[in-house]
Amino acid sequence: MQTKETIVFPDYPNSLLGAISSVLRHYGVQDTHATLPELDQALQKGPRNVVFMIFDGLGVDMLEHNLAPDDFFRRHLRRELTSVYPSTTAAATTTYNSGLSPLEHGSLGWSLYFKEYCRCIDIFPNQDSFSGEEIAGGRANDRFLSYKTIYERIAEAGSGVHTYNLQPSFIPFREGPHTLVHADDVQTYCDTIAEICRNGQQNFIYAYWFEPDSTMHKQGCYTDGIKEMVRRFSAQVEAMCAQLEDTLLIVSADHGLRNVEPQPVYLNEIEELAECLLLPPSMDARAASLFVRPDRKADFPALFQKHLGADFLLLTREEAFARQLFGPGQPHPKSLDFVGDFVACAVGDRYLKYRTPNAPDKGHLYFGHHAGLTAPEMVIPLILCEMP
């Protein structure tokens, strides 16, 4: 087991929320969140094209481990930002797509307990978190966690910019005032972006790619395959930029990852903790929302510290909201539902799971993971490249 690492809390004025807020402010959206001065300055030059590329899991740690200082991504690294919390795709990409903090949009993690269904639901695939059963009656995410997209907000501001959303084909289609483009490899992304930027219009292009996150979950963060992948992405984006004019390129991530112990900690197998819980843990494997029996709240922190204190920081619900762990703003009603009596924030190399009687098996192991408060998970890049 690794020792407890330096804790990096989200710094929302200097986070990915600040990055998307800069873009919204540039296109005339009235937004109350702090923006990033470096990005504001680049946008004030008035580039005809603004391209915002997100590589899932591409934290600063990944750049430093896999790229030489003179490789494109590192050469154009303007500064470091933090992710939101939890540092996980469901929370972070929803912030990118809405311009809202996790507190405001409510998508606090991969698996959330919906009282309306009396079950934990994996919100992106819309399935029961334990049985894998599809949730009937439409997507719970759309029904209870809908939001106005950045494309809708930009259109309402009347800037006249044409907006595009590039995403993998497996992501469900969402209609709006933007042009949706599906592509299934980064080279196609780059070719498509270059083509759009030559159309003579004013364009904002947001492009999300699901790697290297997916492979790091399965293989770990520091394999030869990951190194080759990150180097290839950097080279492909550099070649794309050589074709562009009057364009600002922004590259960042939703979060980073770190290596973890592949075998999870099953909370149901720790009897002293399991008997304290009202519900199975929810939210994320390294950012667990814990609902505790009223008669056990007083002794739960000491028991948790005994079993998991070396790898998790336990915050009370009140502490989490007081330190704005999930961000600033007006809380979404579901955010108040989803946060339990305690939040277990990973600061070591373990992750949590829970096995119910209706779960088909223990599931696959993870060698890399995220959603915790360690630097590899929390610190992401702001890469800027200006093509006059």
Side-chain angles (χ1 to χ4, degrees):
M1 182 185 303
Q2 298 179 6
T3 58
K4 187 178 294 186
E5 298 186 8
T6 301
I7 296 172
V8 178
F9 283 101
D11 179 6
Y12 284 96
N14 298 289
S15 73
L16 62 88
L17 174 61
I20 198 62
S21 296
S22 286
V23 172
L24 291 174
R25 194 78 55 85
H26 173 67
Y27 290 121
V29 177
Q30 297 300 309
D31 185 75
T32 60
H33 294 303
T35 60
L36 302 179
E38 298 88 346
L39 184 49
D40 292 340
Q41 184 177 10
L43 289 165
Q44 285 168 5
K45 298 176 184 178
R48 183 170 57 81
N49 305 301
V50 177
V51 179
F52 203 148
M53 300 186 76
I54 302 302
F55 289 92
D56 198 318
L58 191 67
V60 169
D61 182 67
M62 283 295 95
L63 301 183
E64 293 177 344
H65 273 88
N66 296 303
L67 297 178
D70 60 348
D71 282 331
F72 180 80
F73 281 167
R74 290 190 66 183
R75 194 166 73 245
H76 291 278
L77 176 62
R78 186 66 60 90
R79 60 168 297 188
E80 296 179 353
L81 306 174
T82 73
S83 183
V84 297
Y85 196 78
S87 49
T88 192
T89 301
T93 60
T94 305
T95 288
Y96 276 130
N97 281 285
S98 66
L100 303 174
S101 72
L103 182 75
E104 294 172 312
H105 60 61
S107 295
L108 298 186
W110 181 259
S111 171
L112 300 171
Y113 180 76
F114 286 80
K115 63 187 180 186
E116 297 84 359
Y117 297 88
C118 296
R119 55 173 40 172
C120 292
I121 298 174
D122 294 347
I123 60 173
F124 279 6
N126 196 48
Q127 63 187 25
D128 185 286
S129 300
F130 301 104
S131 70
E133 176 188 3
E134 183 178 356
I135 304 302
R139 294 177 58 82
N141 201 20
D142 294 339
R143 183 173 181 181
F144 293 101
L145 296 172
S146 62
Y147 57 85
K148 187 175 292 186
T149 67
I150 57 173
Y151 314 106
E152 293 169 318
R153 297 177 69 185
I154 290 171
E156 290 176 358
S159 67
V161 65
H162 296 263
T163 57
Y164 294 82
N165 180 9
L166 276 63
Q167 60 187 35
S169 58
F170 61 80
I171 295 180
F173 175 82
R174 178 167 178 168
E175 295 184 353
H178 59 283
T179 300
L180 178 69
V181 181
H182 278 139
D184 288 313
D185 61 79
V186 170
Q187 188 58 55
T188 302
Y189 269 52
C190 292
D191 294 342
T192 302
I193 289 169
E195 182 179 355
I196 293 171
C197 288
R198 290 192 291 265
N199 65 14
Q201 302 173 154
Q202 185 184 14
N203 304 297
F204 170 62
I205 305 166
Y206 174 87
Y208 164 81
W209 187 243
F210 67 99
E211 292 281 19
D213 172 271
S214 181
T215 301
M216 286 195 287
H217 276 305
K218 302 169 188 174
Q219 299 180 4
C221 299
Y222 309 113
T223 65
D224 290 341
I226 291 298
K227 182 180 291 289
E228 191 279 330
M229 181 185 293
V230 174
R231 287 177 173 176
R232 184 174 70 251
F233 291 164
S234 181
Q236 288 172 317
V237 174
E238 181 174 25
M240 177 191 74
C241 287
Q243 306 175 53
L244 304 181
E245 297 179 351
D246 202 4
T247 300
L248 171 65
L249 172 71
I250 310 161
V251 179
S252 192
D254 50 352
H255 56 76
L257 281 85
R258 57 162 292 156
N259 281 350
V260 294
E261 288 290 330
Q263 183 63 45
V265 175
Y266 282 91
L267 279 180
N268 57 289
E269 296 177 357
I270 304 177
E271 185 175 350
E272 282 190 316
L273 296 180
E275 67 182 10
C276 296
L277 298 180
L278 275 175
L279 298 170
S282 55
M283 203 153 71
D284 231 284
R286 287 176 58 80
S289 177
L290 303 172
F291 292 85
V292 175
R293 284 169 37 188
D295 61 319
R296 302 305 304 273
K297 287 181 185 179
D299 56 338
F300 183 77
L303 291 173
F304 188 92
Q305 179 67 26
K306 170 186 171 183
H307 291 282
L308 296 170
D311 284 287
F312 291 87
L313 172 68
L314 189 70
L315 300 177
T316 66
R317 173 188 174 93
E318 293 75 20
E319 288 171 333
F321 284 125
R323 67 164 60 242
Q324 294 192 331
L325 187 65
F326 307 108
Q330 183 66 30
H332 190 290
K334 298 305 294 179
S335 291
L336 302 179
D337 280 357
F338 295 148
V339 179
D341 302 292
F342 298 92
V343 180
C345 308
V347 294
D349 58 1
R350 307 304 301 273
Y351 66 99
L352 302 177
K353 295 190 77 172
Y354 191 96
R355 180 168 170 78
T356 62
N358 63 331
D361 55 49
K362 289 193 174 185
H364 57 271
L365 303 179
Y366 291 96
F367 292 83
H369 223 312
H370 54 80
L373 286 173
T374 69
E377 299 162 278
M378 284 296 300
V379 181
I380 60 173
L382 178 68
I383 297 166
L384 299 180
C385 184
E386 301 175 62
M387 283 72 69

